[in-house]
mmCIF file of all heavy atoms in Angstrom:
data_model
loop_
_atom_site.group_PDB
_atom_site.id
_atom_site.type_symbol
_atom_site.label_atom_id
_atom_site.label_comp_id
_atom_site.label_asym_id
_atom_site.label_seq_id
_atom_site.Cartn_x
_atom_site.Cartn_y
_atom_site.Cartn_z
ATOM 1 N N ALA A 817 -17.396 -0.937 2.620
ATOM 2 C CA ALA A 817 -16.917 -1.084 4.001
ATOM 3 C C ALA A 817 -15.389 -1.145 4.065
ATOM 4 O O ALA A 817 -14.814 -1.310 5.147
ATOM 5 C CB ALA A 817 -17.518 -2.354 4.629
ATOM 6 N N GLY A 818 -14.721 -1.051 2.912
ATOM 7 C CA GLY A 818 -13.249 -1.048 2.907
ATOM 8 C C GLY A 818 -12.655 -2.439 2.852
ATOM 9 O O GLY A 818 -11.476 -2.631 3.179
ATOM 10 N N LEU A 819 -13.446 -3.422 2.440
ATOM 11 C CA LEU A 819 -12.944 -4.797 2.328
ATOM 12 C C LEU A 819 -12.653 -5.130 0.867
ATOM 13 O O LEU A 819 -13.133 -4.448 -0.038
ATOM 14 C CB LEU A 819 -14.002 -5.775 2.867
ATOM 15 C CG LEU A 819 -14.287 -5.669 4.368
ATOM 16 C CD1 LEU A 819 -15.574 -6.417 4.713
ATOM 17 C CD2 LEU A 819 -13.123 -6.237 5.164
ATOM 18 N N LYS A 820 -11.885 -6.204 0.673
ATOM 19 C CA LYS A 820 -11.544 -6.658 -0.679
ATOM 20 C C LYS A 820 -12.346 -7.911 -1.011
ATOM 21 O O LYS A 820 -12.564 -8.758 -0.140
ATOM 22 C CB LYS A 820 -10.056 -6.986 -0.768
ATOM 23 C CG LYS A 820 -9.135 -5.832 -0.415
ATOM 24 C CD LYS A 820 -7.689 -6.315 -0.440
ATOM 25 C CE LYS A 820 -6.692 -5.219 -0.170
ATOM 26 N NZ LYS A 820 -6.755 -4.651 1.169
ATOM 27 N N ALA A 821 -12.743 -8.032 -2.266
ATOM 28 C CA ALA A 821 -13.531 -9.196 -2.688
ATOM 29 C C ALA A 821 -12.659 -10.179 -3.462
ATOM 30 O O ALA A 821 -11.813 -9.776 -4.256
ATOM 31 C CB ALA A 821 -14.672 -8.735 -3.592
ATOM 32 N N ILE A 822 -12.889 -11.471 -3.190
ATOM 33 C CA ILE A 822 -12.315 -12.529 -4.040
ATOM 34 C C ILE A 822 -13.501 -13.134 -4.770
ATOM 35 O O ILE A 822 -14.298 -13.874 -4.185
ATOM 36 C CB ILE A 822 -11.591 -13.602 -3.208
ATOM 37 C CG1 ILE A 822 -10.443 -12.975 -2.411
ATOM 38 C CG2 ILE A 822 -11.082 -14.717 -4.127
ATOM 39 C CD1 ILE A 822 -9.691 -13.953 -1.512
ATOM 40 N N PHE A 823 -13.647 -12.764 -6.034
ATOM 41 C CA PHE A 823 -14.830 -13.164 -6.801
ATOM 42 C C PHE A 823 -14.559 -14.472 -7.549
ATOM 43 O O PHE A 823 -13.671 -14.542 -8.391
ATOM 44 C CB PHE A 823 -15.210 -12.047 -7.776
ATOM 45 C CG PHE A 823 -16.329 -12.442 -8.700
ATOM 46 C CD1 PHE A 823 -17.588 -12.728 -8.189
ATOM 47 C CD2 PHE A 823 -16.114 -12.563 -10.060
ATOM 48 C CE1 PHE A 823 -18.626 -13.122 -9.031
ATOM 49 C CE2 PHE A 823 -17.145 -12.953 -10.913
ATOM 50 C CZ PHE A 823 -18.402 -13.242 -10.389
ATOM 51 N N CYS A 824 -15.345 -15.518 -7.196
ATOM 52 C CA CYS A 824 -15.140 -16.859 -7.765
ATOM 53 C C CYS A 824 -16.078 -17.124 -8.935
ATOM 54 O O CYS A 824 -17.243 -16.714 -8.910
ATOM 55 C CB CYS A 824 -15.403 -17.933 -6.712
ATOM 56 S SG CYS A 824 -14.454 -17.748 -5.203
ATOM 57 N N TYR A 825 -15.563 -17.831 -9.900
ATOM 58 C CA TYR A 825 -16.359 -18.225 -11.072
ATOM 59 C C TYR A 825 -15.654 -19.427 -11.699
ATOM 60 O O TYR A 825 -14.500 -19.729 -11.366
ATOM 61 C CB TYR A 825 -16.452 -17.052 -12.069
ATOM 62 C CG TYR A 825 -15.091 -16.614 -12.551
ATOM 63 C CD1 TYR A 825 -14.575 -17.083 -13.760
ATOM 64 C CD2 TYR A 825 -14.268 -15.824 -11.759
ATOM 65 C CE1 TYR A 825 -13.297 -16.746 -14.174
ATOM 66 C CE2 TYR A 825 -12.989 -15.492 -12.162
ATOM 67 C CZ TYR A 825 -12.511 -15.953 -13.371
ATOM 68 O OH TYR A 825 -11.230 -15.645 -13.757
ATOM 69 N N GLY A 826 -16.333 -20.105 -12.601
ATOM 70 C CA GLY A 826 -15.718 -21.255 -13.272
ATOM 71 C C GLY A 826 -16.800 -22.167 -13.813
ATOM 72 O O GLY A 826 -17.936 -22.162 -13.328
ATOM 73 N N GLU A 827 -16.431 -22.947 -14.811
ATOM 74 C CA GLU A 827 -17.415 -23.775 -15.509
ATOM 75 C C GLU A 827 -17.607 -25.143 -14.852
ATOM 76 O O GLU A 827 -16.736 -25.639 -14.155
ATOM 77 C CB GLU A 827 -17.010 -23.955 -16.981
ATOM 78 C CG GLU A 827 -15.942 -25.015 -17.247
ATOM 79 C CD GLU A 827 -14.529 -24.577 -16.903
ATOM 80 O OE1 GLU A 827 -14.334 -23.438 -16.439
ATOM 81 O OE2 GLU A 827 -13.594 -25.394 -17.086
ATOM 82 N N LEU A 828 -18.752 -25.757 -15.135
ATOM 83 C CA LEU A 828 -19.057 -27.120 -14.705
ATOM 84 C C LEU A 828 -18.391 -28.105 -15.675
ATOM 85 O O LEU A 828 -18.041 -27.738 -16.797
ATOM 86 C CB LEU A 828 -20.573 -27.368 -14.732
ATOM 87 C CG LEU A 828 -21.453 -26.413 -13.928
ATOM 88 C CD1 LEU A 828 -22.931 -26.640 -14.266
ATOM 89 C CD2 LEU A 828 -21.214 -26.619 -12.436
ATOM 90 N N LEU A 829 -18.306 -29.365 -15.227
ATOM 91 C CA LEU A 829 -17.713 -30.396 -16.089
ATOM 92 C C LEU A 829 -18.469 -30.518 -17.413
ATOM 93 O O LEU A 829 -17.859 -30.566 -18.488
ATOM 94 C CB LEU A 829 -17.708 -31.747 -15.357
ATOM 95 C CG LEU A 829 -17.094 -32.911 -16.152
ATOM 96 C CD1 LEU A 829 -15.636 -32.620 -16.501
ATOM 97 C CD2 LEU A 829 -17.192 -34.215 -15.357
ATOM 98 N N ALA A 830 -19.807 -30.539 -17.331
ATOM 99 C CA ALA A 830 -20.606 -30.714 -18.557
ATOM 100 C C ALA A 830 -20.359 -29.554 -19.520
ATOM 101 O O ALA A 830 -20.337 -29.739 -20.748
ATOM 102 C CB ALA A 830 -22.084 -30.798 -18.205
#
Side-chain angles (χ1 to χ4, degrees):
L819 294 166
K820 302 176 177 66
I822 300 178
F823 174 64
C824 305
Y825 60 97
E827 80 283 0
L828 304 170
L829 181 60

